[in-house]
Amino acid sequence: MEELVLNELLDEHIDLNIVGQIVNNLIQPANFVGPPRVPAIRNHDYYEYVIPHYTPDDFKAHFRMSRETFQAHLNMLIIVENNQDIDYEDFKKKLLFTVWVLAKQESFLSVGDIFNFSKSTGHRAFMFFTRLIAGQVNNIIVWPNQQERQRISRVCEETSGIPGIIGAIDGCHIPIKAPPHNANDYYNRNNIHSIILQGVCNDKKQFTDIYVGAPGRVHDARVFRNSGIFALLSGNNPPIEATEHLLGDAAYPLLPFLMKPYQDNGHLGDQQVTFNIRMSGVRSLIERTFGLLKGKFRRLKYIDMSLIEAVPMVITAACVLHNFIISSDLEGNLDEDDDELEENLEQNGMEQDGIDDPNLNIGRAEIKRQFLASLL
């Protein structure tokens, strides 16, 4: 048909009647009805029937927490939202949807089919609830008070023989989709795009501080210096005693409130070697914490979001849920994910040695480290 039109147009003696007939044949009539749209196949009774019949183990396998813990978290968010017009069942269903998305690597489309949500409805629900959950970070992830720091120190000293340990600190790379702008800033040493999650944890593998959002190319030491915990502990009236300290790896600077291992130059003494070994045993707490977090909330294995500004909110929400699950009196110990732990160990092993700043009392920090090593 198109050839006929072309031939007629190229002909010096164009018959407009023929061209008009051909064009009319090509134009679909106004009352033309195309093939019927096939409705999406969704599960209409998964939330209403299947979930209520899950065994406790099945529920925990899908939602990473017990029913009791989920109910406690649901009740907390309802109080936080403080909206008299909340539809309880709809609120609960969308929270379950959000936890499912965080816990697995499925697309919004596939999870929406399970919960009978369109892709757009599921996306709006996910953004709303991750923002709501992340908004509780200051209530759920808190710096330990004096009594709690003493408890952490006592537990860690029993394990390592090193007094004054109140937590371990490290950075973790969360793989992300290449951002549309400044993608190079997020391209890290492992040849992937990522956002850095810096975390401080206690002996229970709970986060006591997090700092999220630095591009993957930034070194751990610089992330630390830009974080709130550095400003807090290096400022006036820090919430830490002179005898207390965090443990970090070689990427971090040596500070009075942050101990790191001796650099192995082949000439370490027995005390220094022992200190490094004992310290490494406790410092691995943060690696296991990251492994536990990423094992439970597998969305953090790769966050496929074009809106880069929303990624830190998703990571923060996962950290808040992590802490809430552990702190719940109704929840038992979480299972560790060995594969994730191995991955984090490999990443941290690639860090270069940090640069110590002479303006930050390095002399006093070195004296403190030598004293701690002498106790072993």
Side-chain angles (χ1 to χ4, degrees):
M1 187 70 69
E2 290 82 354
E3 293 180 358
L4 289 175
V5 174
L6 182 60
N7 290 333
E8 287 296 329
L9 292 176
L10 292 175
D11 192 346
E12 293 181 357
H13 306 287
I14 299 176
D15 190 334
L16 295 180
N17 291 328
I18 295 176
V19 174
Q21 290 177 2
I22 295 173
V23 171
N24 287 333
N25 289 333
L26 291 175
I27 299 175
Q28 294 180 349
N31 60 350
F32 174 79
V33 178
R37 182 167 180 253
V38 179
I41 300 175
R42 300 197 183 104
N43 194 329
H44 291 275
D45 59 0
Y46 180 78
Y47 169 76
E48 293 78 8
Y49 179 79
V50 178
I51 294 179
H53 287 82
Y54 271 155
T55 66
D57 288 342
D58 287 338
F59 187 94
K60 188 173 181 179
H62 284 294
F63 299 103
R64 309 309 197 215
M65 65 187 85
S66 68
R67 272 197 177 89
E68 293 79 7
T69 298
F70 174 81
Q71 188 63 49
H73 190 248
L74 172 65
N75 294 341
M76 182 194 74
L77 292 183
I78 289 176
I79 294 174
V80 169
E81 186 64 8
N82 192 26
N83 186 343
Q84 300 299 324
D85 297 327
I86 284 181
D87 182 330
Y88 176 83
E89 290 299 331
D90 182 69
F91 196 86
K92 179 180 178 181
K93 184 177 182 179
K94 289 178 178 177
L95 178 58
L96 283 168
F97 171 89
T98 300
V99 174
W100 182 294
V101 173
L102 285 172
K104 306 187 180 186
Q105 293 180 285
E106 300 174 21
S107 67
F108 282 102
L109 183 62
S110 62
V111 182
D113 290 345
I114 294 172
F115 282 83
N116 193 24
F117 287 154
S118 67
K119 183 179 178 180
S120 59
T121 299
H123 186 266
R124 285 195 300 271
F126 179 77
M127 296 300 291
F128 173 82
F129 277 98
T130 50
R131 185 177 294 107
L132 189 61
I133 295 168
Q136 298 307 300
V137 61
N138 293 330
N139 297 324
I140 304 298
I141 301 178
V142 296
W143 185 253
N145 58 27
Q146 183 179 22
Q147 182 179 358
E148 176 64 7
R149 296 200 308 273
Q150 290 175 348
R151 186 200 64 78
I152 298 170
S153 176
R154 184 169 59 252
V155 172
C156 292
E157 184 174 2
E158 291 173 356
T159 302
S160 65
I162 302 175
I165 300 172
I166 60 169
I169 183 171
D170 208 347
C172 175
H173 287 267
I174 307 296
I176 62 170
K177 179 180 179 180
H181 306 290
N182 301 325
N184 188 58
D185 292 342
Y186 293 86
Y187 197 69
N188 67 26
R189 65 184 182 277
N190 294 323
N191 301 320
I192 60 172
H193 294 89
S194 67
I195 277 182
I196 297 175
L197 161 64
Q198 176 185 277
V200 179
C201 76
N202 61 17
D203 59 300
K204 297 178 181 178
K205 306 183 190 70
Q206 288 175 298
F207 290 109
T208 55
D209 183 82
I210 61 171
Y211 175 64
V212 190
R217 185 173 288 274
V218 181
H219 188 270
D220 278 359
R222 182 178 296 179
V223 175
F224 173 61
R225 293 178 188 277
N226 291 336
S227 66
I229 193 65
F230 174 79
L232 184 68
L233 298 182
S234 62
N236 297 325
N237 300 317
I240 187 173
E241 301 294 334
T243 56
E244 298 173 338
H245 37 266
L246 300 172
L247 299 184
D249 64 13
Y252 289 90
L254 179 65
L255 301 168
F257 55 82
L258 176 56
M259 296 288 102
K260 72 174 189 177
Y262 287 97
Q263 183 176 2
D264 189 357
N265 54 12
H267 302 286
L268 295 182
D270 291 341
Q271 284 185 349
Q272 295 170 325
V273 171
T274 300
F275 176 83
N276 283 0
I277 295 173
R278 298 281 187 88
M279 176 185 166
S280 177
V282 179
R283 194 188 60 78
S284 65
L285 276 170
I286 186 62
E287 293 164 352
R288 295 199 296 271
T289 300
F290 286 141
L292 190 57
L293 172 73
K294 295 170 74 174
K296 286 294 180 184
F297 301 107
R298 294 181 177 269
R299 179 66 51 181
L300 301 189
K301 284 190 170 187
Y302 178 71
I303 300 181
D304 185 8
M305 295 180 66
S306 299
L307 187 62
I308 190 67
E309 294 80 6
V311 174
M313 178 183 69
V314 174
I315 299 172
T316 301
C319 293
V320 169
L321 283 173
H322 169 92
N323 265 32
F324 190 89
I325 292 171
I326 294 178
S327 64
S328 175
D329 293 335
L330 303 170
E331 185 72 21
N333 292 328
L334 295 174
D335 300 323
E336 292 189 10
D337 191 309
D338 293 335
D339 292 336
E340 289 293 337
L341 176 57
E342 182 179 352
E343 175 187 337
N344 283 304
L345 284 169
E346 290 175 358
Q347 288 182 349
N348 290 313
M350 298 178 64
E351 287 286 5
Q352 59 183 328
D353 193 69
I355 300 175
D356 298 329
D357 189 339
N359 296 321
L360 292 173
N361 298 317
I362 300 305
R364 186 156 58 92
E366 182 57 48
I367 293 174
K368 183 178 184 179
R369 183 168 65 173
Q370 290 175 0
F371 171 74
L372 294 174
S374 70
L375 298 177
L376 307 177

